[in-house]
Amino acid sequence: ARPGATLGESVRRVRATRGLSLRALSDRTGLSPSLLSQVERGLSDPSLSSLRRVAQALNVSVADLLGEQQQERASKVIRRTARTRLLSPGVGALHELLSGDVERIDARIVTIDPGVAGTEHAPHGGTEFVLVLEGSLEVMMGDTVEVLHLGDAATIEASMTHRVAASQDVPARYLWITVPQK
């Protein structure tokens, strides 16, 4: 992706370069043409799972779509001012990406508005970790719901359905780390 390009611009540019229509990309990813169009226009942010499917269908890395420069798998510093920020319009969630290679580890700080229920994540491979930095969260792991407060943490086996929601009248801010299954 070119520096400064939004996620949607990157997806549209790579799709066009590959000569794919929205329908063709939809067929390859299993995502609706409507959702893909909203992503390309910056009206919706895909889940990490959907983003991985789009990247795979376009034969690029997730980092390429997020505008990260290709680098060898080495140590990397991402300055606070250089974080990629993904805002979910209409959802009340801001994701600040902390890792440059989300295919190896996805670390992010997420801020969600009061009462916002995050997206329910379908079971997938890997492990997820959440640490509450501000406010409190309701964390659903399978059939269990736990309330986490400042400083509380949870490790989630991603093979079960899971979701987080802000549980107070104040925004919640938390560190979310996903380690994909190898």
Side-chain angles (χ1 to χ4, degrees):
R2 63 187 166 78
T6 67
L7 173 61
E9 290 170 342
S10 295
V11 170
R12 180 181 296 131
R13 183 183 52 76
V14 174
R15 179 180 59 77
T17 301
R18 303 281 191 271
L20 295 173
S21 66
L22 278 173
R23 170 61 63 194
L25 184 57
S26 170
D27 291 344
R28 289 182 177 193
T29 61
L31 303 172
S32 73
S34 170
L35 173 63
L36 293 169
S37 174
Q38 289 176 357
V39 168
E40 287 189 356
R41 292 179 292 139
L43 301 176
S44 179
D45 288 321
S47 67
L48 181 59
S49 163
S50 295
L51 186 56
R52 283 186 180 129
R53 288 165 40 190
V54 169
Q56 183 177 24
L58 294 173
N59 198 29
V60 297
S61 72
V62 170
D64 286 337
L65 292 178
L66 292 173
E68 299 292 335
Q69 300 300 313
Q70 277 290 3
Q71 295 185 4
E72 291 185 31
R73 293 187 175 217
S75 300
K76 183 173 183 179
V77 172
I78 297 178
R79 302 283 178 205
R80 173 187 245 173
T81 56
R83 291 179 189 159
T84 298
R85 294 171 178 262
L86 302 173
L87 182 62
S88 299
V91 175
L94 171 67
H95 297 253
E96 299 174 69
L97 304 185
L98 305 175
S99 55
D101 184 357
V102 297
E103 293 172 349
R104 288 193 318 158
I105 184 169
D106 176 13
R108 58 183 64 204
I109 294 175
V110 182
T111 305
I112 56 176
D113 290 340
V116 168
T119 303
E120 186 170 301
H121 299 277
H124 58 88
T127 304
E128 298 186 345
F129 171 84
V130 61
L131 170 68
V132 179
L133 304 173
E134 295 175 18
S136 59
L137 290 175
E138 290 180 3
V139 180
M140 180 192 78
M141 301 171 282
D143 294 331
T144 304
V145 176
E146 295 284 344
V147 177
L148 304 181
H149 301 283
L150 176 66
D152 291 345
T155 301
I156 302 166
E157 186 55 48
S159 62
M160 65 176 63
T161 302
H162 51 285
R163 155 186 81 68
V164 298
S167 63
Q168 291 187 344
D169 294 335
V170 297
R173 190 165 184 253
Y174 55 96
L175 174 66
W176 186 270
I177 299 174
T178 302
V179 180
Q181 184 176 13
K182 299 282 182 186

